Each structure stands twice: as C-alpha cells, then as structure tokens.
Amino acid sequence: MGDPGEDVNSNLLIHRSTGDTELDAAVFKWLHWDRNPKTRAQIEALLQDGKNKELRDRLCCRMSFGTAGLRAAMGAGFSKINDLTVIQTTQGMYHYLGRCFPDMKQRGLVIGYDTRAQLSSDCSSERLAKLAATVLLSRDVPVYLFSTYVPTPFVPYAVQMLQAVAGIMITASHNRKEDNGYKVYWENGAQINSPHDKEILNSVAQYPEPWADSWSENLVECSPLMKDPLGDITKSYMEDLRMVCFHRELNQKTSLKFVHTSFHGVGHDYVQSAFKVFGFNPPIPVPEQKDPDHNFSTVKCPNPEEGECVLELALRLAEKKGARIVLATDPDADRLAVAELQDTGRWKVFTGNELATLLGWWMFFCWKNSAMKSDVKDVYMLATSVSSTILRAIASREGFQLEETLPGFKWIGNRVKLLLDKGKTVLFAFEESIGFMCGTAVLDKDGVSAAVVVAEMATYLDSLSTNMERQLIHIYETYGYHISKTSYFLCYDPATIQRIFERLRNYNAPKQYPQSCGAYGVLYVRDVTVGYDSSQQDKRCLLPVSRNSQMITFTFQNGCVATLRASGTEPKIKYYAEMCGKPGQSDRPFLEEELKKVIQVLVEEFLEPSKNGLVWRSV
C-alpha cells in the first residue's frame, strides 16, 4: 500500500504495543489500511491510552449478517460501520458476485443510501455509498448509484427493474442515531440469506486488504460506468403503485385529512408523490420532522413502532388540523406506524399485528372485488413465525393460503419470489414489527406503499361511516379474537443472551425444555436455533434451522403461543405472545387477562430479568 497508511507515529505506537499478539496484528492492519483521518485517530487514541479491551472489541471481531444485513455503530474498527469495513465488504461482494454472475460487468449493481451521518468519524450513508460504488467502478463494474437519498424499497425495486445482479442499501433503518448498516439484495430483488451472506464474509476474510483504487472517490464523478437511476426508478415505482389502488375516484372526493411524519428521514417526498398517484390531496407533513436530520432531534428514538410517545408531534398537529389519521414512516421509509382518532377523542395507535389484520383483510377484499381473479387456492399471504396468526384464521375461512417464515423480510421476499415463479398470486406479507408488503412490486417491506394503501382503506371505510378500529373489531368477531403483545428487554452482553437460551434448552435436566411455566403447562416447544419441534412426529422443525439466532417458541395448554427471540439488529431480547379465541367468541377481557398472566410468569421464570441484568423497554 502507499503512504497514507505509513505514519511514523502510528508505527511507534504499534511497537510499544499491547502485549497481545492478535490485537497488535489487528491494530497494525487498521492503521496500515484505513485512510480516514478521523477513524485512524480513534484507534490511535485508544492505543495511546492503553484501552486494550475496547481495542479488542473494535478490531478483533467482525460484523455478521443478521435479519437485515450488517448493522453496527459507526466508528473505527472492524466490528463497526466505517469507510474501511464498507470497502472490505464491497470487495468481498465483488469477488463472490463475480463467481456467481459471469455477466456482472454487463449488468452491474444498484446502490442507495439514507440520511444517516456521524461527524466524529466523517461517516455518512452518502459517503459510504459512494465508497461502495468506487470499489465496483474501479473493477469496471457498472453502478446505478442514486444521486440522492431514497427509501430502502427503491433498491430492491431497482434491482429487478434494471436486471442488476445485486443491490446495496446503506441504512440502519429505525436504529439509534449512532448506527448504520449495509443491506444486500440478490438479483431476484429479495434480501440475501444463506449461503450468500456467509460466502460474502468468507470473501472478505480471504481478501481483506483494500485496493488502492477503492479510495479513489473521484471515480463516482467521472466514470462512464456510473449511472443515476433516480428519475426512471421513481417514475416506474409510482406507476406500479397503481396496481394496489382500487378506489381512486373515492380518494379524490374524500374529506378525510391525513398527517404524515417521516421521522427526520427520507420518506416525505415519496409519500407525497404516492398520495398524488392515488388521487389524494397531499398529507399534511410534520414540519419539525419533514426534512432529514441525522440527529433525530425531536424524538428520543427514531422508531415509530414505539407508539404514542414518539408520535407526539404528529398527533398534536393532526388535532390542530382536523386530521383523523396519522401515518409515520421510519427513517428509511420501509416501515409504517398508523394512529386513528376515535369519536371519544382518544388516539388508537395500531400495533403491527393489528395493522396487518386490517391490511390483510383489505388486500383480500380488493382482490375478491377486482376483475382479474385467479383461483383462490392459488392466492397467498405470508407472515413471519413471531407475528399474529390472524391471517391463518382468515385464510382457513376464505380459502386462500397462508405461509409462515422465519423472522425477517429476507425470508419473506425469497419465498414470495418462488411463489410468483410458480404462477401464484401473492397479495400481502408482513412482520409484526410494522413491516408490510402490499402487492409484489417490491419484494421487501415498504412503508411508502403501505402508507397510501392504509389511506385508501381508511377512506373506503369512512365512506361506509365506519373506521379502522371498528373494522378491526368486526374482523376479530368474524374470524376470532387474536390478542397479542410484543415487547423487549435491552441486553448488551451476548454471553448473557446465550446463557438465558441455553438454560431453557437444559431446564431441569440436560437437553430438556421446560414442561411448565408457573401454573401454565407447556404443550409444545419449537427451537429453530437447533431445529427441534416437539409438535412434529420426528421432532424436526419445519422452518429452516437458524443457528446464528436464538429463538424458542412455547405453545401452552391454555392456547397461548409465546416466542422468546434475540434481535438480529439490536441488543434486545424480544418476546411475542398471543391468545387466540374462536370465531363468535367475544370475551376479549378474559383473553387479555390470561395473556397478561402468561407474559408475567414467562418473563420472571424464563428470562429472569433481575438476575440477568436485563433492562425493561423504555423510550
């Protein structure tokens, strides 16, 4: 390598070193390879101050692909998101994609980014996207790099439209402001899963040294292989939105008003355009949150899933403007939260499962009343294994198919593509963490399309003098109440998480799961981490084994189903629990109380938060 990595002071620091051979080697590589002055300075300062543990944490392990790609804090180190790790990952992509696609240099890749930034490391999504583009351009690979920030769904959409071999999105979605991420899509427009994720990281490990040309950012400005797909993709995406618009004339006449907040992210312009496509007046934006702000200065956490406490500005604006519906897209606009003002004056903030119940009903209702109908047996919806089972109840009654996948839209997207290739019709897919896919133009969750579909559904219901909450109750009364509760604990120690789940696998004896939890007997146990399912005759899990993630599901004798899972994107242990009633049963208070009791004992006996130092969810 050239001069930028050869700093005399750095070499002096290295030779005074730590006494740890592995760490010294990692420090040397970092200071030899990194050309970002701010991240180099961070490592030099830690070395000078003798902070060996932090140096090890930063330099002696690497990020791995979780449920939504690579995701970590921005800053110096091989375990974090920064210039060097993005270059290394993209070089790994180049090596692996080259083996998979002999025509890669004809088809190229798509790259997009959100609005995240960190001044202390000179690390922004835009800069990282341009470095990823530089890596590929330096090896004569065409790059479709969006000229400005875009919603995450635009990247998988563009991959399919442009017939690229893959796509990269630089985003950490709804994570805290310190984080960023690297999400990868395959040629089919779905997020990568195994073996692609592992093979990319293997290539990174095999070829870790950055090429000199990987730092030549001027290539983005001057290479003839660089193209900006923004105009064409935006136009095409908006045209395809019409496929999920069924009541444009009604939309044009509605008196309903909508407020939209983009949570300081990318969503404002695109949601405004989507509303225009559907014939609506534009939604009222929350002025303080309309424009990008990498500090997310008006919210404690940039995650609309947290509910009313983070929707405060939007709700107050809606009251002021006479709007009854609030729509909130997360910072990269792939997820959607919704609140509705009730006649009592209170706001109903829908959970992800409740909103999916409404959207699933709506997409099937519109399909039934559309001209282009296929056999109902060839119609599909999908949900993740930790989401509500309400769509299964609807499917059983109505005759369509419901498929279950592991958590994460990477599983949904790939399964949807296979179904489409078999000639099936896929109407809707969701995960409980407010991720929705309406139609199949994008094989990933999409907050922009979901926002305008919700607006049309609300408009239709309003024309019948009802609203979304009353319709939700009607759905539950028709197909059975499904009462669910999802929450989480913060846990920053991976060893603690491992210990909690291993205890459940060896509860009263080696390789024995709990047979009860408090007064509640356990009927079945499913552990996708090891591939075990006691409900199956051969005890083998029907879902794919997922050894890199912790997830155990308990089915109790009282009908409650509860899952404990370690998050793939954040330091959290999540729990998901649901009580299901039969159609016609209206004893909702009983189901709610029973669910509350199960969760209480589940948390205390299985997670032991006090003993394990778990921190309750708070915003």
Side-chain angles (χ1 to χ4, degrees):
M1 294 291 293
D3 292 339
E6 300 291 346
D7 183 271
V8 174
N9 291 329
S10 296
N11 283 325
L12 285 173
L13 288 169
I14 292 166
H15 291 301
R16 287 173 192 158
S17 100
T18 64
D20 181 329
T21 305
E22 181 189 16
L23 178 56
D24 285 348
V27 170
F28 178 81
K29 287 176 181 177
W30 183 271
L31 295 177
H32 190 64
W33 291 342
D34 185 19
R35 295 191 184 185
N36 180 324
K38 290 190 175 181
T39 46
R40 280 172 54 81
Q42 288 177 23
I43 297 300
E44 289 172 344
L46 291 170
L47 188 62
Q48 187 78 62
D49 295 341
K51 295 186 176 178
N52 292 357
K53 183 183 183 303
E54 186 170 348
L55 280 170
R56 281 197 68 84
D57 291 343
R58 286 175 178 250
L59 294 172
C60 293
C61 59
R62 282 196 170 275
M63 297 172 287
S64 58
F65 282 92
T67 52
L70 303 175
R71 201 171 286 184
M74 291 177 276
F78 296 117
S79 65
K80 297 186 179 295
I81 295 286
N82 50 64
D83 293 6
L84 181 53
T85 54
V86 163
I87 286 172
Q88 290 178 313
T89 304
T90 311
Q91 290 182 182
M93 288 265 293
Y94 169 82
H95 285 294
Y96 179 57
L97 292 171
R99 299 199 299 272
C100 297
F101 300 104
D103 57 352
M104 176 175 66
K105 291 189 177 182
Q106 285 76 50
R107 295 168 61 188
L109 280 82
V110 175
I111 301 179
Y113 55 92
D114 67 12
T115 58
R116 288 175 176 264
Q118 185 183 71
L119 299 180
S120 62
S121 59
D122 192 22
C123 189
S124 69
S125 294
E126 181 177 6
R127 173 179 168 79
L128 297 175
K130 287 181 176 178
L131 284 169
T134 298
V135 169
L136 297 165
L137 293 170
S138 75
R139 288 300 186 266
D140 299 322
V141 178
V143 173
Y144 298 95
L145 174 65
F146 285 98
S147 56
T148 188
Y149 54 81
V150 291
T152 289
F154 271 41
V155 171
Y157 179 82
V159 168
Q160 290 197 92
M161 289 300 298
L162 299 170
Q163 296 185 315
V165 298
I168 298 167
M169 179 69 189
I170 306 296
T171 180
S173 190
H174 58 281
N175 275 41
R176 60 188 193 139
K177 67 180 181 180
E178 291 83 5
D179 291 352
N180 215 325
Y182 188 105
K183 187 177 282 192
V184 179
Y185 295 88
W186 203 242
E187 66 167 341
N188 62 1
Q191 289 180 53
I192 60 167
N193 54 21
S194 188
H196 304 315
D197 50 2
K198 294 179 178 63
E199 291 298 329
I200 291 169
L201 293 181
N202 287 341
S203 294
V204 172
Q206 193 173 354
Y207 308 103
E209 186 169 353
W211 311 319
D213 289 345
S214 292
W215 296 95
S216 303
E217 294 174 70
N218 63 315
L219 284 176
V220 171
E221 310 300 330
C222 65
S223 173
L225 295 173
M226 240 288 297
K227 296 177 183 176
D228 174 16
L230 181 66
D232 290 344
I233 292 302
T234 302
K235 180 182 178 184
S236 180
Y237 173 92
M238 293 301 167
E239 287 174 352
D240 280 349
L241 264 185
R242 297 178 188 276
M243 293 189 295
V244 290
C245 177
F246 301 95
H247 299 278
R248 197 170 192 277
E249 289 185 10
L250 197 62
N251 301 341
Q252 290 172 323
K253 296 184 291 186
T254 186
S255 60
L256 271 185
K257 292 181 181 179
F258 302 89
V259 161
H260 170 241
T261 171
S262 51
F263 261 63
H264 299 293
V266 307
H268 171 73
D269 291 342
Y270 302 99
V271 171
Q272 294 272 314
S273 296
F275 265 64
K276 185 176 179 181
V277 169
F278 269 53
F280 286 111
N281 290 322
I284 303 163
V286 177
E288 302 94 328
Q289 298 175 336
K290 176 175 72 71
D291 298 321
D293 171 11
H294 61 265
N295 286 315
F296 305 109
S297 54
T298 68
V299 289
K300 291 180 180 178
C301 124
N303 185 357
E305 189 185 3
E306 297 290 352
E308 193 162 348
C309 56
V310 293
L311 297 173
E312 182 73 19
L313 284 174
L315 300 179
R316 301 295 82 82
L317 179 65
E319 290 167 358
K320 182 179 177 182
K321 297 290 187 180
R324 281 177 27 206
I325 310 291
V326 165
L327 305 164
T329 47
D330 70 338
D332 70 328
D334 68 346
R335 306 197 313 158
L336 176 74
V338 177
E340 179 184 62
L341 185 63
Q342 305 304 309
D343 295 337
T344 59
R346 71 174 180 87
W347 284 96
K348 163 67 176 176
V349 181
F350 296 95
T351 68
N353 284 328
E354 289 173 336
L355 198 50
T357 302
L358 286 162
L359 283 168
W361 161 79
W362 175 250
M363 295 302 291
F364 185 71
F365 173 79
C366 292
W367 173 83
K368 278 202 303 185
N369 291 286
S370 68
M372 298 183 296
K373 282 208 292 185
S374 49
D375 189 326
V376 71
K377 293 179 181 177
D378 289 328
V379 172
Y380 283 74
M381 294 191 194
L382 291 90
T384 62
S385 58
V386 294
S387 301
S388 172
T389 58
I390 181 63
L391 294 189
R392 186 173 299 284
I394 299 175
S396 297
R397 174 83 69 91
E398 302 295 343
F400 65 86
Q401 312 298 318
L402 189 283
E403 287 204 2
E404 187 180 84
T405 72
L406 288 173
F409 252 86
K410 66 180 182 181
W411 299 102
I412 287 178
N414 282 286
R415 182 58 187 159
V416 168
K417 186 65 170 76
L418 289 174
L419 290 169
L420 295 176
D421 289 345
K422 292 179 180 179
K424 308 300 183 183
T425 298
V426 180
L427 299 180
F428 177 67
F430 85 102
E431 59 184 2
E432 54 74 39
S433 53
I434 60 172
F436 312 104
M437 188 188 85
C438 301
T440 55
V442 176
L443 299 185
D444 201 3
K445 56 185 178 288
D446 182 356
V448 177
S449 60
V452 73
V453 169
V454 166
E456 182 171 81
M457 174 175 60
T459 297
Y460 177 82
L461 292 171
D462 184 63
S463 74
L464 301 179
S465 301
T466 189
N467 65 11
M468 289 189 288
E469 184 174 48
R470 289 197 289 274
Q471 178 60 25
L472 180 65
I473 292 169
H474 176 69
I475 294 168
Y476 285 147
E477 288 175 346
T478 304
Y479 301 103
Y481 272 97
H482 286 61
I483 310 300
S484 57
K485 171 71 174 174
T486 299
S487 194
Y488 61 81
F489 291 87
L490 293 170
C491 183
Y492 296 95
D493 179 26
T496 297
I497 295 174
Q498 178 78 17
R499 188 173 66 249
I500 288 170
F501 282 89
E502 284 304 316
R503 172 177 170 264
L504 294 174
R505 295 184 181 104
N506 304 276
Y507 200 66
N508 291 318
K511 296 185 178 181
Q512 185 181 90
Y513 293 89
Q515 296 178 323
S516 64
C517 184
Y520 300 99
V522 174
L523 193 60
Y524 303 118
V525 177
R526 181 180 66 189
D527 184 349
V528 299
T529 308
V530 301
Y532 172 80
D533 188 344
S534 65
S535 72
Q536 300 299 311
Q537 194 167 2
D538 61 2
K539 307 303 180 189
R540 294 177 66 176
C541 189
L542 296 177
L543 289 170
V545 177
S546 185
R547 299 193 188 282
N548 292 331
S549 58
Q550 299 286 352
M551 189 171 86
I552 303 177
T553 299
F554 300 92
T555 300
F556 292 96
Q557 290 174 349
N558 69 349
C560 180
V561 178
T563 296
L564 299 175
R565 170 179 170 258
S567 171
T569 57
E570 298 171 283
K572 294 176 179 178
I573 299 176
K574 295 184 174 183
Y575 67 79
Y576 313 78
E578 182 171 53
M579 289 290 298
C580 305
K582 295 178 181 178
Q585 287 185 346
S586 58
D587 195 354
R588 180 171 183 165
F590 169 77
L591 293 174
E592 289 176 339
E593 185 61 27
E594 193 76 351
L595 181 65
K596 183 179 177 181
K597 289 176 181 176
V598 174
I599 290 173
Q600 187 173 7
V601 70
L602 179 87
V603 166
E604 287 302 320
E605 293 200 7
F606 286 1
L607 293 182
E608 300 180 304
S610 298
K611 177 181 176 181
N612 290 309
L614 306 182
V615 179
W616 275 98
R617 165 189 177 178
S618 68
V619 179

